[in-house]
Amino acid sequence: MTASSPFITGARAALPIVGGYLPVAVTFGIVAAEGGLAPVETVAASAIVFSGAAQFLLVGMRADALPATTILGLLIAINARHLFYGPPIARRLPASRPGLAPVIAHGLTDEVFALSLTGLDRQPEARRWGWFAGVAAAAWAAWVAGTALGAAAGGALAGRGAAISATLEFALPALFVILLMPHFKGTVRLGMAAAFSLGAIAKLAGAPNAGIPAAAIAGTLVWYGAESWTRRSSS
Amino acid sequence: MDAPILLLILALGLATFAFRAVPFLTGGRVDRLPPRLVEALDKLGLMVIAAILAVSLIPGPGEPIGAATLAPPLAGVAATIAVHAWLEKVGLTILAGMAAYYLATLAVG
């Protein structure tokens, strides 16, 4: 493979994704170790699922002892958004190598989608499959390697006292705050406030298991109602 | 090793893989679903995160509500928001939030 092969060019183009993934993946490894996942389970989650938000939520919901069917149902609904990343990418790839598609599709995360949407158009058609494979493989490798590092670090830090343990557990809420901050505006803010408030009430009432899905669905309905009302008012 | 968690990971991985791969196999025909449904699924993810955040931060019915249980998460969230608004670096922000949480734990403990 030469230095100018499309695969290598794609892997180089993915460097910003790699830089962004590594610290988050390390954090996931630490949080998962703190949440009781064995290192092999933690790395398997990153290698097989390869979806950061879903993986963090999986650890969080498992820590809250939600039933497995509830966890799976919610996470599948959340990851259904990936269904809409494929079409614009598929349209940019020549049809000559369709057999590769399902394999490469595993790397189609939010960030890989965003980079490929513009990056593929700048590649000659014959190089697009290789370029996309390079982007996806680099992103996946960074995510899995970072997770392994984090799982090892988390295992080493575990059992060092209650304050350290509680502090490590705080990595998860901190990440959730970071994920929510850019979206905390407009009608989405109303939905988030409703979901947070109902989640808090459910926790205070001692029913977080039922509370999380109910609060999330209620928050989505609040957003939907507010958004519909806003669009009607402005039209 | 915990078989249920591995099964959960496998099932979620399979479903996520199917969502990613199907459009490639169907020639991109799945993007004709109502845009509002697509948007709602996207928002559902944010709402799950908001609900779990509340459950992570709020003390349970058996825990005392006071400085010892409220100060660390409040300090941690405040530091997380401030540092992320300033630097927009995920790794550094999480470290700052954890540091504030730890210092507040020591201060009130």
Side-chain angles (χ1 to χ4, degrees):
Chain A
M1 191 175 289
T2 65
S4 62
S5 75
F7 184 89
I8 297 291
T9 312
R12 280 191 187 144
L15 281 179
I17 296 180
V18 169
Y21 274 10
L22 277 173
V24 183
V26 169
T27 307
F28 172 71
I30 292 173
V31 167
E34 190 60 30
L37 264 69
V40 67
E41 293 162 352
T42 306
V43 175
S46 279
I48 296 169
V49 181
F50 192 29
S51 174
Q55 290 175 227
F56 276 103
L57 288 169
L58 170 68
V59 173
M61 287 196 266
R62 194 169 168 269
D64 291 325
L66 256 65
T69 46
T70 307
I71 296 176
L72 194 59
L74 274 173
L75 294 182
I76 285 177
I78 290 166
N79 272 1
R81 72 184 185 284
H82 289 100
L83 201 52
F84 306 97
Y85 292 167
I89 299 297
R91 279 196 291 271
R92 285 169 168 80
L93 293 170
S96 58
R97 299 171 78 181
L100 272 179
V103 180
I104 291 178
H106 182 52
L108 195 55
T109 61
D110 300 355
E111 295 76 14
V112 168
F113 169 74
L115 178 71
S116 303
L117 201 58
T118 51
L120 277 171
D121 289 338
R122 289 195 288 270
Q123 298 296 316
E125 281 213 353
R127 292 173 60 87
R128 287 184 180 179
W129 277 106
W131 186 88
F132 182 65
V135 171
W140 182 84
W143 185 249
V144 174
T147 300
L149 271 176
L157 286 168
R160 299 286 175 97
I164 294 283
S165 178
T167 301
L168 289 173
E169 282 176 17
F170 185 74
L172 196 53
L175 182 79
F176 289 160
V177 169
I178 293 168
L179 291 175
L180 293 177
M181 275 177 69
H183 304 279
F184 195 70
K185 53 194 170 196
T187 51
V188 178
R189 189 169 40 187
L190 292 175
M192 282 185 194
F196 185 91
S197 305
L198 289 172
I201 291 168
K203 180 71 181 286
L204 287 168
N209 288 3
I212 290 172
I217 291 167
T220 308
L221 291 174
V222 166
W223 162 78
Y224 191 88
E227 185 69 14
S228 301
W229 187 80
T230 306
R231 288 183 191 186
R232 263 202 309 273
S233 306
S234 60
S235 62
Chain B
M1 222 180 307
D2 184 359
I5 185 72
L6 276 177
L7 283 177
L8 200 55
I9 289 167
L10 274 176
L12 179 61
L14 270 176
T16 306
F17 177 74
F19 289 138
R20 286 169 171 157
V22 161
F24 286 91
L25 302 174
T26 58
R29 276 173 292 177
V30 296
D31 56 351
R32 295 179 193 163
L33 288 177
R36 293 297 292 277
L37 176 62
V38 179
E39 222 180 331
L41 285 173
D42 187 46
K43 299 298 180 282
L44 177 66
L46 294 174
M47 303 312 163
V48 171
I49 294 173
I52 293 188
L53 178 64
V55 168
S56 316
L57 297 177
I58 305 292
E63 298 173 70
I65 296 181
T69 49
L70 294 182
L74 282 176
V77 169
T80 301
I81 291 172
V83 174
H84 191 60
W86 176 36
L87 295 175
E88 291 193 3
K89 300 275 186 198
V90 173
L92 278 178
T93 302
I94 291 174
L95 280 178
M98 290 169 73
Y101 186 100
Y102 183 68
L103 291 175
T105 304
L106 294 182
V108 297

